[in-house]
Amino acid sequence: MEKRNQYHHGNLEQALIEAAVSLIAQHGVAGFSLREAAAHVGVSPSAAYRHFSSKEDLLNAVALDGFQRLALQMEHAMAEARTLNPECPALAAFQALGLAYVTFAVNNPPHFQVMFGIPFQEKPETDRTSPYQLLQTALDDLVGEKVLAVENRSGAELYAWSVVHGLAGLLIGGAIRTIDGDITGIFNSLVPRILAGLGSAGKNILRGSVPPFIVDTPLAMKFTTPS
Amino acid sequence: MEKRNQYHHGNLEQALIEAAVSLIAQHGVAGFSLREAAAHVGVSPSAAYRHFSSKEDLLNAVALDGFQRLALQMEHAMAEARTLNPECPALAAFQALGLAYVTFAVNNPPHFQVMFGIPFQEKPETDRTSPYQLLQTALDDLVGEKVLAVENRSGAELYAWSVVHGLAGLLIGGAIRTIDGDITGIFNSLVPRILAGLGSAGKNILRGSVPPFIVDTPLAMKFTTPS
DNA sequence: TGTACATCAGTGAACGCGCGTTCACTGATGTAC
DNA sequence: TGTACATCAGTGAACGCGCGTTCACTGATGTAC
């Protein structure tokens, strides 16, 4: 049950996950192999099979690790935002949550892709806060702070999650590009719209301008041949 | 310049793209190989190099093909929506555009992933309408129809695109799952929020309920070990 | 405390595989005279 | 119209490679007596 740290390698399972995270960050998922992860840890390829039943199993662990890191970063950002904005902590925390989500994706594109690129089979039930629960709580707090009207609370998770997930996807997919790498600026420009979409007290709170960005996909192109 | 159709294979380039699209739809990008595409067309692997400089080059063509198909489906859906809703054609077309986007993604997950998974180098300049231009026009028309206030027009593309792209990503990434495969229902539940976020005439137009869906990622889980 | 044994995390060789890409070639088509 | 030649889309064999996974094994650790 408790950890034993100096048995043979020590903690090969965690070491392999960390190696995988690091290698995937460098070469992407497509370029990642079990063998490389084992070599990176200094262990024979077959040793990995003592801890993971397959490569897919390892990738599953990598994805889980990503959700854990994401949750931690969100929590930290929210706590800080609350402290800095004592007059409207719930609103500040909500915005911080969204920014942390997008920032995590931009800082760890391949990891983020693994997290949302594989279907999950096993779902451990344990005791720490999850990103989705943080979102739910943040929305509840928005109601508590009277930023969000109770009658508009239902379904807010899906909407808020979609916006930030979409912005993250467009940024890491190379569809759009900020001029100066200013993720905060582009995120903030969306905040008034997000709040309005939530039904923020029914008032039109639109303000703030969108910093320039470049559309980088054929989405913005013209085409010659219909297929 | 003009097509020659019976020279050796005929139109190997297009045939390879179509084979790739079909094979990727079946096995995903990860499981796709140049050799398999060539074999599928009935041609030796090396023949592909007469038309594409590398596998990556082929995938680029596959992505472009996807944007063309997406644009066509959006246009078709918009035209139909306008016809069916003569009293508010712009609003109907805008909603149809969004639904077509999400539907395309859900119907062609790996193709969609290729479209947004590789950075584009070459950008052909030709004469057909692009998805992004359709979005811009749709938003302009919303202003024309007085659904959207002029002062809220700026930056609307990024916002609208983010929401639908995010919903699409969550659905095809397996993060959320509709109970009954009803994409239209879940999309429609977001429409009032999207319109409110656009700043739709400043009025609170929230209504419509969210059909049940299942959150399927560890986003919704609890965790045990911080990393 | 000392010995015999069970456990199990690791080794290392081997497997069969399909991959992307190259290269010298062949042979059908198009063109100049 | 007929012939010689250039073009170039295809062939097929070969390359070197790294992959995921297996299997019989070794040897360090933990445990029972």
Side-chain angles (χ1 to χ4, degrees):
Chain A
M1 291 298 172
E2 77 275 18
K3 290 179 189 173
R4 298 165 299 171
N5 266 334
Q6 288 315 57
Y7 185 79
H8 282 182
H9 171 279
N11 198 352
L12 224 206
E13 180 169 333
Q14 197 56 38
L16 282 172
I17 294 175
E18 277 162 27
V21 166
S22 159
L23 292 170
I24 287 172
Q26 291 171 49
H27 322 123
V29 212
F32 169 74
S33 72
L34 234 196
R35 297 177 88 101
E36 194 186 8
H40 195 262
V41 170
V43 120
S44 73
S46 48
Y49 288 85
R50 292 281 157 208
H51 302 279
F52 302 98
S53 66
S54 65
K55 182 190 184 183
E56 193 192 356
D57 197 25
L58 211 202
L59 284 177
N60 227 290
V62 167
L64 251 175
D65 174 273
F67 284 110
Q68 291 173 12
R69 294 184 195 218
L70 173 58
L72 283 172
Q73 294 185 18
M74 282 166 110
E75 277 188 303
H76 180 265
M78 290 168 80
E80 188 175 68
R82 279 190 210 98
T83 305
L84 293 175
N85 299 274
E87 72 289 354
C88 55
L91 181 56
F94 176 72
Q95 296 189 29
L97 174 153
L99 180 56
Y101 190 93
V102 177
T103 301
F104 178 88
V106 170
N107 287 343
N108 313 274
H111 204 165
F112 191 79
Q113 278 160 351
V114 172
M115 287 159 65
F116 289 101
I118 47 179
F120 281 85
Q121 27 264 40
E122 27 160 352
K123 316 212 169 191
E125 183 76 21
T126 48
D127 67 349
R128 271 195 46 59
T129 321
S130 81
Y132 192 74
Q133 287 170 328
L134 289 173
L135 172 60
Q136 289 179 313
T137 306
L139 287 166
D140 288 344
D141 291 350
L142 240 35
V143 174
E145 210 171 77
K146 310 263 186 227
V147 175
L148 175 56
V150 195
E151 63 267 29
N152 294 329
R153 174 65 184 79
S154 165
E157 288 92 342
L158 178 65
Y159 165 74
W161 190 8
S162 290
V163 187
V164 292
H165 192 77
L167 178 61
L170 293 175
L171 284 168
I172 73 181
I176 58 176
R177 198 161 29 107
T178 55
I179 301 284
D180 48 6
D182 179 19
I183 301 301
T184 304
I186 207 165
F187 175 80
N188 281 342
S189 77
L190 284 185
V191 167
R193 310 199 96 109
I194 295 172
L195 291 175
L198 284 174
S200 184
K203 61 191 168 197
N204 184 347
I205 44 92
L206 288 184
R207 69 198 145 74
S209 63
V210 184
F213 62 93
I214 297 168
V215 177
D216 237 356
T217 35
L219 255 189
M221 289 163 33
K222 297 175 170 188
F223 295 114
T224 192
T225 44
S227 64
Chain B
M1 290 298 172
E2 78 274 19
K3 288 180 189 173
R4 297 167 297 173
N5 267 335
Q6 290 312 54
Y7 184 78
H8 281 181
H9 172 279
N11 198 353
L12 224 207
E13 181 169 333
Q14 198 55 39
L16 282 171
I17 294 174
E18 276 162 28
V21 167
S22 159
L23 292 170
I24 287 172
Q26 291 170 49
H27 322 122
V29 211
F32 169 74
S33 72
L34 234 196
R35 297 177 86 102
E36 194 186 7
H40 195 263
V41 170
V43 118
S44 74
S46 47
Y49 287 87
R50 293 280 159 208
H51 302 279
F52 302 99
S53 66
S54 64
K55 182 190 184 184
E56 194 191 356
D57 197 26
L58 210 204
L59 283 177
N60 227 289
V62 167
L64 251 175
D65 175 274
F67 284 109
Q68 291 174 11
R69 295 184 195 219
L70 173 57
L72 284 171
Q73 293 184 20
M74 281 166 112
E75 277 188 304
H76 181 266
M78 289 167 81
E80 188 174 69
R82 279 190 210 97
T83 305
L84 293 175
N85 298 274
E87 72 288 355
C88 55
L91 181 57
F94 175 73
Q95 295 190 30
L97 173 153
L99 181 56
Y101 190 93
V102 177
T103 302
F104 178 89
V106 170
N107 286 343
N108 313 273
H111 203 165
F112 191 79
Q113 278 160 352
V114 173
M115 288 159 64
F116 288 100
I118 48 178
F120 282 86
Q121 27 263 40
E122 26 161 352
K123 315 212 168 188
E125 183 77 20
T126 48
D127 67 350
R128 271 194 46 60
T129 320
S130 81
Y132 193 73
Q133 286 170 328
L134 290 172
L135 173 59
Q136 289 179 315
T137 306
L139 287 166
D140 289 342
D141 291 350
L142 240 35
V143 175
E145 209 171 79
K146 309 263 186 228
V147 174
L148 175 55
V150 195
E151 63 268 27
N152 294 330
R153 173 66 184 79
S154 164
E157 288 93 341
L158 178 65
Y159 166 74
W161 190 9
S162 290
V163 186
V164 292
H165 192 77
L167 178 61
L170 293 175
L171 284 168
I172 73 182
I176 60 176
R177 199 161 26 109
T178 56
I179 300 284
D180 48 7
D182 180 19
I183 300 301
T184 303
I186 206 164
F187 175 80
N188 282 341
S189 77
L190 284 185
V191 167
R193 310 198 96 110
I194 296 172
L195 292 174
L198 284 174
S200 185
K203 63 191 168 200
N204 184 346
I205 44 92
L206 289 184
R207 67 198 147 73
S209 63
V210 184
F213 62 94
I214 297 167
V215 178
D216 237 356
T217 36
L219 256 190
M221 290 163 31
K222 297 174 170 188
F223 296 113
T224 192
T225 44
S227 62

